[in-house]
Amino acid sequence: MIFLSQNGVSATSNAVIAVFLAALTALSIIGLIVCLCRFTDSDGQVKNTAVAFLLIFGAGFAVRLIFALCVRGYRDDYALFTGMFNHLKNYGLSGYYNGDASVVLYPTVYFIYLIFGGLSNVTGFSQYGLGTQFMIKLPLIIADLLAAFAVYKIAKRYFNKRVGLALCAFVCVCPIFFIGSSLWCTPITFTVMFACFGCYCLAQKKYIGTIALMTAAAFSSKEGIYLFPVTCVFCAYHFVKAIANIRRGKPQGVSILADDYRAAVTVPVGFIASLVGAYVLGLFAIASYSYNPFTYIYQFLLAPLVDWKYFTFNGLSVYAIFNQNGSVPSARFPSWLFVCIFIAIIVAVVCVVYFSKRNRATMVMLAAYALYTMQSYYPGSTAIGFQSVFIVLIAAYALVRDKRLLTVLFVSGIAYVINSVTTLGAAGYLNNLSDYNFGTEQILLTGAMSAVPIACSVVTVLAHLYFTVVTVSVGMTGQKKMLEHREGILPAIKEYFSVKRVR
């Protein structure tokens, strides 16, 4: 792998890396199916959890570190981090934000990298290309592993400990989950981590934690804002319900913090605290923007939703199917209207499904569905955007336990791996070379290469339609298709593909 990373821009090295990632994806999927069938009905006891964690996270860290040091990443996204490191070294904290959210790190990510950028400069790592690369990739790797731990916490509570470890191991070793951190180098990795812990708090009915973590996700990348409609529906419903319970029960004193009433207090506190936190972050950027903090909040949360330059850019979306990959939108395209319509559709679906069952597990599934919908139909999607979907989707499976959610994950995940690795390979980025070594590589997949995003987009859009059917089936009727106990590889695979009636 190290040899391939220094072997220039070649079709052979790209093919070797792509085949290895595809094979690892297939093996990890088979391994997960076998483990789920074996442990789904067990008592879930593990003799030595510490050793299991050591092996799982050790393997996850190792595979990420190898790719992180051998593949620099998508150069435009990588430049966001190196630009921040250089600015910190030359100018300190002043003047970093310039009013354009597309050329700087989002605030939550920026404050994380103040630590690692400072360490890079103090230790002298920044004097070496590989040293800087290590300091940039390390926080992304840590965020990835923390997201895997969040999946374990959810599955342990709502499944059992062995299933939790199996899902955690799957997240640690499957390329579906680590391409964003180790190969691409995208801030979306932090959005994924915050969103996954936010889903855990959501399942626990911890309203302040849910709102705070989803706010942190929104200020990590533009993909994070897509979860806010779901968060608002969840919190608003329980706030209204708590108010009704208070009117009936008339609690006195601290009893208002009981389970039936506390949402009336914690939901407003959570939203106010998040707004104050965003405002404080905005104060930090005033010197750069010369605007008030609310303008800063607009620049990061709302403007990116309507300010896209292309109908996707190598993304997995319905527009790529019609060969609109990289096409410039018409000046008269109603971007604001489009965004409002899709937000309204997502809110409507979430409300109808959630209010019919009032189930927190269903709510996490709806969060995954909202993310999937936006990535499939949002005009400004990119090749790496789907990274935000998968961890929430695996968390939804841990709560809902319907094997059809795994089908959505596997099918769309494989399409994502093929599309993202092809994008990196075509651009000449599956290596560790300096930028001046590049020739005229194909950053936008056009011509014959456009067949890849078209084919992969067809798969993901079909998977979205199937996901819609599953969401309605589980959310409206409560019927599920769950894996049953099986021992061995072939029996487990046969059980996974078996056609059974919902129950």
Side-chain angles (χ1 to χ4, degrees):
M1 186 67 70
I2 294 175
F3 171 75
L4 290 174
S5 73
Q6 302 295 338
N7 197 33
V9 181
S10 69
T12 301
S13 60
N14 291 344
V16 170
I17 295 174
V19 170
F20 176 80
L21 290 171
L24 183 57
T25 302
L27 289 174
S28 59
I29 288 174
I30 293 172
L32 177 64
I33 293 172
V34 172
C35 290
L36 290 176
C37 287
R38 183 175 181 180
F39 301 142
T40 188
D41 291 330
S42 71
D43 57 7
Q45 296 302 313
V46 178
K47 291 183 178 179
N48 198 327
T49 306
V51 173
F53 272 128
L54 182 63
L55 293 174
I56 290 171
F57 287 116
F61 182 81
V63 71
R64 282 165 171 77
L65 186 62
I66 291 171
F67 278 106
L69 296 181
C70 294
V71 178
R72 181 165 296 178
Y74 194 79
R75 296 308 194 266
D76 289 349
D77 284 358
Y78 187 81
L80 294 178
F81 296 95
T82 55
M84 181 269 170
F85 277 22
N86 293 332
H87 188 279
L88 182 65
K89 180 180 180 180
N90 296 325
Y91 304 104
L93 300 178
S94 63
Y96 178 67
Y97 292 107
N98 55 17
D100 185 356
S102 66
V103 297
V104 295
L105 295 177
Y106 270 51
T108 308
V109 181
Y110 176 79
F111 280 102
I112 293 173
Y113 273 91
L114 282 179
I115 300 172
F116 291 89
L119 288 174
S120 180
N121 293 330
V122 169
T123 59
F125 273 26
S126 59
Q127 299 176 16
Y128 308 96
L130 197 60
T132 299
Q133 191 167 324
F134 173 76
M135 295 303 290
I136 288 174
K137 295 289 188 71
L138 182 59
L140 299 173
I141 293 173
I142 294 173
D144 253 357
L145 298 179
L146 286 174
F149 181 71
V151 169
Y152 165 77
K153 293 285 289 182
I154 294 173
K156 174 189 173 184
R157 180 175 177 85
Y158 296 95
F159 237 122
N160 61 57
K161 184 178 288 188
R162 289 192 178 186
V163 170
L165 290 173
L167 292 175
C168 179
F170 179 64
V171 173
C172 281
V173 302
C174 185
I176 293 173
F177 300 98
F178 69 71
I179 281 178
S181 61
S182 296
L183 279 84
W184 195 283
C185 191
T186 172
I188 295 177
T189 302
F190 293 100
T191 304
V192 168
M193 178 193 68
F194 289 124
C196 201
F197 278 103
C199 288
Y200 176 70
C201 289
L202 186 152
Q204 300 273 50
K205 295 178 70 173
K206 295 180 179 178
Y207 307 103
I208 294 178
T210 299
I211 297 169
L213 287 164
M214 293 306 183
T215 302
F219 279 103
S220 299
S221 69
K222 70 175 183 180
E223 285 74 12
I225 194 63
Y226 302 156
L227 285 170
F228 248 85
V230 181
T231 305
C232 292
V233 170
F234 171 78
C235 292
Y237 169 76
H238 286 282
F239 173 76
V240 173
K241 184 178 178 181
I243 293 294
N245 290 338
I246 289 173
R247 294 184 65 181
R248 286 195 302 266
K250 295 181 174 57
Q252 300 294 324
V254 294
S255 61
I256 198 173
L257 296 179
D259 289 346
D260 292 339
Y261 310 125
R262 65 184 178 189
V265 177
T266 55
V267 168
V269 168
F271 277 112
I272 292 173
S274 294
L275 181 61
V276 170
Y279 186 86
V280 171
L281 288 175
L283 293 176
F284 174 80
I286 282 181
S288 301
Y289 276 126
S290 298
Y291 299 140
N292 64 53
F294 291 107
T295 302
Y296 145 88
I297 293 173
Y298 166 80
Q299 289 287 345
F300 281 102
L301 294 187
L302 299 179
L305 295 179
V306 297
D307 185 21
W308 55 72
K309 298 178 181 179
Y310 308 99
F311 280 113
T312 75
F313 199 86
N314 301 326
L316 300 174
S317 76
V318 68
Y319 306 102
I321 296 176
F322 298 102
N323 202 25
Q324 295 297 306
N325 184 34
S327 298
V328 179
S330 169
R332 299 179 62 184
F333 185 80
S335 56
W336 271 106
L337 179 61
F338 180 91
V339 171
C340 292
I341 289 174
F342 266 88
I343 290 177
I345 291 173
I346 290 176
V347 170
V349 171
V350 170
C351 288
V352 170
V353 174
Y354 183 57
F355 292 169
S356 66
K357 297 299 296 181
R358 304 172 186 177
N359 187 291
R360 286 165 286 156
T362 303
M363 202 64 181
V364 176
M365 180 185 66
L366 291 172
Y369 180 78
L371 282 173
Y372 201 121
T373 301
M374 290 302 296
Q375 288 301 327
S376 298
Y377 296 94
Y378 177 62
S381 62
T382 62
I384 198 62
F386 251 89
Q387 188 74 53
S388 62
V389 176
F390 301 119
I391 198 75
V392 181
L393 188 53
I394 198 70
Y397 171 74
L399 286 158
V400 176
R401 299 191 279 186
D402 192 312
K403 72 175 185 178
R404 292 173 293 179
L405 295 177
L406 291 178
T407 301
V408 176
L409 171 65
F410 296 158
V411 171
S412 56
I414 292 172
Y416 164 75
V417 170
I418 294 172
N419 186 69
S420 58
V421 173
T422 301
T423 299
L424 289 172
Y429 293 159
L430 283 177
N431 52 63
N432 213 5
L433 301 177
S434 299
D435 292 346
Y436 58 78
N437 288 320
F438 292 123
T440 55
E441 299 304 314
Q442 190 174 356
I443 298 178
L444 181 64
L445 297 178
T446 58
M449 295 300 295
S450 65
V452 175
I454 290 174
C456 292
S457 294
V458 169
V459 171
T460 53
V461 169
L462 290 176
H464 177 266
L465 296 177
Y466 180 70
F467 195 2
T468 304
V469 173
V470 175
T471 299
V472 173
S473 174
V474 175
M476 300 295 289
T477 68
Q479 296 178 327
K480 305 174 185 178
K481 292 184 178 182
M482 295 184 287
L483 293 173
E484 297 181 359
H485 180 79
R486 295 290 187 273
E487 296 281 352
I489 297 177
L490 291 179
I493 294 176
K494 184 178 179 180
E495 165 63 18
Y496 172 74
F497 285 105
S498 65
V499 179
K500 59 178 66 176
R501 297 182 65 182
V502 293
R503 57 187 176 87

